């Protein structure tokens, strides 16, 4: 948990004021993906809340969760600023320990968040939690960074030489410190989904814009 | 309150102790069907099937708990609500000093099961 504190919770909190820079295309792509989710919706790893607020502005109720206090505060400020605070709820929580009752949501979005969980057991536990919190016929969309793009693979290789753990990376983030990422392969994500006992799921490569090299993997979970 | 459960044992509903609230009279709310909540009305502290009359969901949506505590009667853990944000982290990720400061500030307005016996830490041991 020390790694979580230092390389996820604290570093993302510090980054909350500048996090949105250069992410407009990403937000648009994720929002477009999330349109298929029915409310109530859980935004797991909400960051500064841009997606939650966009979803809430369409009249859908959403719970935005993040482990970094700075991010949750930013999300709540944003919801108030954009007059969507009646539809947005926020809380600080850690994904493998979801503070949610079973079958509470029709839609769950975990965009670029599971790959920030340092321990594989906890990533699998998070997938189990997502399945538990989905209502029957619910839909969950999970995106993680894909290992085999030139840029990502270079990072993976560099970190492997240091850590001897395939896929785990600590990437420097200016003067804020370094953040943890686990870069997934399609095969590995499928394996984790099976270990989490997900029954109805699909995995495919995905990119927020038209790129030759897809840099994300999309996991679609149906219940 | 209709959604939140204990991160450990998933006990639902959690007990809510309100210390202060903020009221947003200009907040835009649109309640088509009452009750808005599916299983539990936090405002009344009752399960939906126990409600005898429709709750005031509009007022509920305009009110935020500024400071409070969520308590799990099953495991005895307490979780603070600070600046309108519930903090439901596992023990290892919690800030013990900040938690104890919060308990000391509100010890006169919270039950002893939280102040003196609450987990993961209380004023008795902390």
């Amino acid at each position: 948990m020390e790694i979580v504190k230092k390389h996820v919770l604290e570093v993302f909190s510090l980054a909350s004021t500048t996090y949105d820079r250069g992410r407009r295309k990403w937000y648009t792509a994720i929002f477009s993906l999330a349109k298929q989710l029915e409310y109530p919706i859980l935004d797991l790893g909400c960051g500064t809340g841009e997606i939650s607020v966009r979803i809430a502005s369409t009249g859908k109720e959403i719970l935005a969760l993040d482990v970094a206090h700075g991010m949750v505060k930013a999300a709540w400020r944003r919801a108030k600023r954009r007059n969507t605070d009646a539809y947005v709820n926020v809380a600080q929580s850690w994904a493998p320990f979801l503070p949610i009752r079973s079958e509470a949501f029709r839609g769950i979005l975990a965009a670029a968040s599971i790959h920030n969980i340092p321990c594989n057991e906890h990533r699998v536990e998070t997938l189990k939690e997502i399945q538990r919190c989905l209502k029957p016929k619910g839909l969950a969309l999970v995106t993680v960074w894909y290992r085999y793009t030139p840029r990502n693979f270079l990072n993976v290789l560099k970190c492997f030489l240091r850590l001897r753990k395939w896929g785990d990376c600590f990437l420097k983030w200016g003067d804020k410190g370094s953040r943890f990422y686990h870069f997934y392969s399609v095969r590995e994500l499928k394996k984790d989904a099976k270990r989490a006992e997900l029954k109805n799921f699909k995995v495919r490569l995905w990119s927020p814009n038209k790129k030759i090299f897809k840099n994300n993997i999309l996991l679609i979970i149906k219940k | 309150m209709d959604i939140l459960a204990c991160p450990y044992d998933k006990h639902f509903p959690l007990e809510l102790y309100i210390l202060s609230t903020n009221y947003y009279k200009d907040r835009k709310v649109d309640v088509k069907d009452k009750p808005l909540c599916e299983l539990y009305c936090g405002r009344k502290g009752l399960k939906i099937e126990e409600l005898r009359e429709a709750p005031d969901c509009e007022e509920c949506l305009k009110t935020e708990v500024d400071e409070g505590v969520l308590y799990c009667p099953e495991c005895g853990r307490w979780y603070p609500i600070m600046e309108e944000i519930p903090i439901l982290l596992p023990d290892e990720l919690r800030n013990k000093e900040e938690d104890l400061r919060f308990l000391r500030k509100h010890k006169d307005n919270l039950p002893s099961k939280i102040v003196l016996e609450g987990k993961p830490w209380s004023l008795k041991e902390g």
Side-chain angles (χ1 to χ4, degrees), chain A residues 34 53-54 92 111 144 154 184 187 218 222:
Chain A
V53 167
R54 283 196 198 187
Q92 189 184 4
V144 293
L154 202 65
Y184 264 100
R187 192 175 160 195
L218 175 64
K222 287 181 183 172

Side-chain angles (χ1 to χ4, degrees), chain A:
Chain A
M1 285 291 200
E2 279 310 304
I3 293 179
V4 178
K5 259 190 180 173
K6 192 176 172 192
H7 298 284
V8 186
L9 193 152
E10 288 173 6
V11 75
F12 275 92
S13 259
L14 283 172
S16 61
T17 49
T18 52
Y19 187 77
D20 292 331
R21 287 178 196 163
R23 284 190 159 80
R24 191 177 293 177
K25 277 183 185 171
W26 167 259
Y27 286 143
T28 303
I30 291 295
F31 178 59
S32 167
L33 198 65
K35 277 180 184 167
Q36 57 189 301
L37 298 175
E38 288 183 39
Y39 73 94
I41 296 170
L42 170 64
D43 185 0
L44 187 54
C46 65
T48 58
E50 176 61 29
I51 298 298
S52 291
V53 167
R54 283 196 198 187
I55 291 171
S57 66
T58 65
K60 292 177 177 177
E61 289 165 58
I62 190 157
L63 173 63
L65 299 180
D66 205 284
V67 72
H69 195 67
M71 290 292 189
V72 184
K73 275 177 94 168
W76 188 226
R77 272 199 307 268
R78 171 168 273 151
K80 284 182 169 179
R81 206 168 53 238
R82 304 247 287 260
N83 294 322
T84 53
D85 44 346
Y87 297 97
V88 177
N89 286 294
V90 298
Q92 189 184 4
S93 77
W94 179 231
F97 292 80
L98 276 189
I100 310 287
R101 67 170 164 85
S102 298
E103 299 187 353
F105 294 99
R106 286 196 181 85
I108 297 180
L109 176 71
S113 52
I114 284 181
H115 58 211
N116 292 120
I117 299 173
C119 162
N120 181 247
E121 291 304 318
H122 279 177
R123 289 194 291 273
V124 172
E125 193 55 40
T126 301
L127 294 177
K128 280 186 189 171
E129 285 284 78
I130 287 174
Q131 168 101 333
R132 180 182 66 78
C133 295
L134 266 185
K135 284 181 186 295
K137 296 184 182 173
L139 174 70
L141 303 170
V142 178
T143 75
V144 293
W145 278 8
Y146 180 46
R147 186 183 300 163
Y148 296 109
T149 65
R151 188 177 158 204
N152 292 351
F153 191 66
L154 202 65
N155 279 323
V156 170
L157 213 56
K158 271 194 240 169
C159 292
F160 178 74
L161 295 172
R162 223 176 39 239
L163 305 169
R164 298 282 157 192
K165 270 194 169 179
W166 199 233
D168 284 2
C169 277
F170 292 91
L171 301 182
K172 273 207 84 83
W173 209 355
D175 57 356
K176 293 177 274 293
S178 61
R179 60 209 199 272
F180 176 87
Y181 281 97
H182 180 80
F183 292 89
Y184 264 100
S185 69
V186 170
R187 192 175 160 195
E188 188 187 8
L189 189 56
K190 277 183 184 170
K191 195 175 148 194
D192 279 2
K194 281 178 187 163
R195 283 180 63 207
E197 295 169 17
L198 306 184
K199 288 179 184 76
N200 190 2
F201 71 90
K202 281 181 189 167
V203 176
R204 66 175 165 87
L205 292 179
W206 178 81
S207 196
N209 39 30
K210 286 175 187 171
K211 279 185 177 172
I212 302 168
F213 296 110
K214 306 282 185 200
N215 52 6
N216 284 259
I217 311 175
L218 175 64
L219 168 65
I220 303 162
I221 305 166
K222 287 181 183 172
K223 192 169 176 186

Side-chain angles (χ1 to χ4, degrees), chain B residues 62-77:
Chain B
K62 288 182 178 184
T63 308
E64 293 293 336
V65 176
D66 181 36
E67 286 193 303
V69 167
L70 293 163
Y71 177 76
C72 173
E74 199 157 312
C75 67
R77 280 186 178 81

Side-chain angles (χ1 to χ4, degrees), chain B residues 41-105:
Chain B
C41 173
R43 192 170 175 86
K44 298 270 185 188
L46 291 171
K47 290 179 181 170
I48 294 300
E49 70 247 26
E50 293 169 347
L51 291 175
R52 291 193 182 157
E53 54 188 36
D56 196 347
C57 298
E58 289 91 347
E59 286 300 292
C60 185
L61 285 174
K62 288 182 178 184
T63 308
E64 293 293 336
V65 176
D66 181 36
E67 286 193 303
V69 167
L70 293 163
Y71 177 76
C72 173
E74 199 157 312
C75 67
R77 280 186 178 81
W78 64 277
Y79 303 95
I81 302 171
M82 298 181 196
E83 297 176 80
E84 301 182 351
I85 298 172
I87 301 169
L88 293 124
L89 291 170
D91 300 349
E92 298 92 329
L93 295 181
R94 291 176 68 152
N95 185 330
K96 187 175 180 180
E97 281 175 26
E98 199 174 77
D99 280 356
L100 291 176
R101 216 169 23 243
F102 179 89
L103 274 188
R104 276 193 287 273
K105 183 181 169 190

